[in-house]
Amino acid sequence: MGKKICLEIGMKTDTKGKNKKSSSPDPKESSEKKGSSMPMARIIFLIFILIFLFLFFKYRGNNKISLFPIKKRSENFAENTISHPFSLLPQNIGQENDPVPKNLQVLRIATWNLFPLDFAKINDPDCGSGIASVIAEFDLIALQGILSRNSSVLDMLVYLLEKKGKHYDYIWSCRKSKNAPSAAFLFNTDRICPDREFSCVLEVPGGESPLDALISSFRPITVSPQKAFTFILINIDLENIQNQEKEAAFSDLYEAARKRSGHGGFPEEDDIIILGTLCRTSGNLSAFQRIPNLVAVHLDKATRLDGSSTDNILFENNALSEYMERFGIADLSVFLKISPEQAKKISVHRPLWADFSLYEGGAGKDYSGISEQP
């Protein structure tokens, strides 16, 4: 904390402590007082300005997100697209509230749409603590549906996690308009390290609500950097997107993320994971069928309380070998021991998670113990 500067203004007294009486002020004395008070006021004003600038640039730098608009789609783009059905990898479906097996080198990545995540919800005793308890189960989580003019909601969430003994930080996409929700990545700083310089918002321009996606690069810090699994996450929320043309442009976003990884001093990365609310109608992943070799961890599992399937995790089958063939969808009523009505108050979406190896190439994963409980 900074030093407090206090100004004491008192009446001039004589040696006996009595107030001096004067019929008229001394002009010389008045000019001295005026001259001494003005510089002091200026000094205090400058100190406040310097403190404000220091705090502004300090916290702004920690969560800086740059805009990286993509180029306008070409006219013959549709002629070069590859349409294909989605495929599934072999998988073991985890339990609804399945913890991470402690004997495995596992990185648990999740996605959760908390719309509307605002200050009222995070301060609600029935919601805030429960949200933090769920997030604490994951090493890294992509959040959607944040309704906040600043990062105060995420700051509060980090505070609630700290009260549970967990150390988390976040990367936030910021909010562009009053009605547009924003997205964020929350990650356990004891296990995950982001590349903040790589983090940005990829945007499809046009219209009052441009389509965008928050991207960032991560790696685990519990293994050596030379062996660690490095990857790019693309956080997408299509729930309120009505423009079909914008949906089709996500293959452009995907390609822009791939190109960004090999330019501007960033290392080239082929492990790219798309996650979030990826469709408006249950199981319809048509917005991503233009991306070749893409697979989903599930196709028809209920990720909403109404039984629909709108949230997913996608990646290229021939590129990402670190997936440990294990995913799950958390049941808040079971995990938090709350009623269905209380779970709905937190979110109509359920958290979806998938397990990945800590090691590049999937080295060190033990499939024989994947379904074992600790």
Side-chain angles (χ1 to χ4, degrees), residues 33 38 44 47 71 76 93 116 164 180 208 264 294 340 367:
K33 286 183 178 180
M38 288 299 291
I44 295 173
I47 289 174
K71 295 181 179 180
N76 61 349
I93 302 175
K164 298 179 181 296
E208 296 181 358
L294 211 60
Y367 290 115

Side-chain angles (χ1 to χ4, degrees), residues 261-279:
S261 70
H263 295 81
F266 299 115
E268 188 172 356
E269 183 58 67
D270 60 351
D271 294 332
I272 303 176
I273 302 171
I274 304 172
L275 71 175
T277 302
L278 304 184
C279 55

Side-chain angles (χ1 to χ4, degrees), residues 71-116:
K71 295 181 179 180
K72 187 176 180 180
R73 299 173 68 243
S74 59
E75 295 298 329
N76 61 349
F77 179 79
E79 299 177 2
N80 301 322
T81 58
I82 301 175
S83 178
H84 67 284
F86 270 78
S87 58
L88 280 171
L89 293 176
Q91 56 204 270
N92 296 317
I93 302 175
Q95 300 296 320
E96 295 292 336
N97 58 342
D98 187 25
V100 178
K102 294 181 174 58
N103 62 323
L104 296 179
Q105 298 293 322
V106 171
L107 180 67
R108 181 156 288 185
I109 301 175
T111 178
W112 195 9
N113 193 323
L114 284 166
F115 183 86

Side-chain angles (χ1 to χ4, degrees), residues 176-280:
K176 292 185 177 181
S177 64
K178 184 178 181 180
N179 298 320
S182 58
F185 293 117
L186 260 75
F187 53 93
N188 187 331
T189 56
D190 294 328
R191 292 176 56 80
I192 296 289
C193 175
D195 185 346
R196 290 190 180 274
E197 293 300 321
F198 182 86
S199 303
C200 69
V201 174
L202 298 180
E203 182 181 86
V204 177
E208 296 181 358
S209 57
L211 180 63
D212 54 36
L214 174 64
I215 73 167
S216 190
S217 175
F218 298 90
R219 68 170 177 85
I221 59 176
T222 54
V223 297
S224 66
Q226 294 78 15
K227 298 180 179 180
F229 169 42
T230 59
F231 55 95
I232 294 172
L233 290 186
I234 305 179
N235 188 350
I236 295 174
D237 183 4
L238 280 182
E239 187 165 46
N240 298 311
I241 296 297
Q242 303 296 329
N243 191 321
Q244 294 290 335
E245 179 71 11
K246 288 183 178 181
E247 287 188 12
F250 266 112
S251 56
D252 289 0
L253 287 175
Y254 188 84
E255 188 61 27
R258 182 185 298 281
K259 288 181 178 179
R260 182 171 172 79
S261 70
H263 295 81
F266 299 115
E268 188 172 356
E269 183 58 67
D270 60 351
D271 294 332
I272 303 176
I273 302 171
I274 304 172
L275 71 175
T277 302
L278 304 184
C279 55
R280 291 182 291 112

Side-chain angles (χ1 to χ4, degrees), residues 12 35 56 61 85 105 158 191 229 245 251 288-289 293 357:
K12 195 173 182 180
F56 175 81
Q105 298 293 322
V158 168
R191 292 176 56 80
F229 169 42
E245 179 71 11
S251 56
F288 303 93
Q289 288 187 350
N293 304 315
S357 173

Side-chain angles (χ1 to χ4, degrees), residues 164-178:
K164 298 179 181 296
K166 302 291 185 176
H167 305 107
Y168 277 72
D169 200 354
Y170 61 85
I171 295 174
W172 179 46
S173 66
C174 302
R175 193 176 177 190
K176 292 185 177 181
S177 64
K178 184 178 181 180

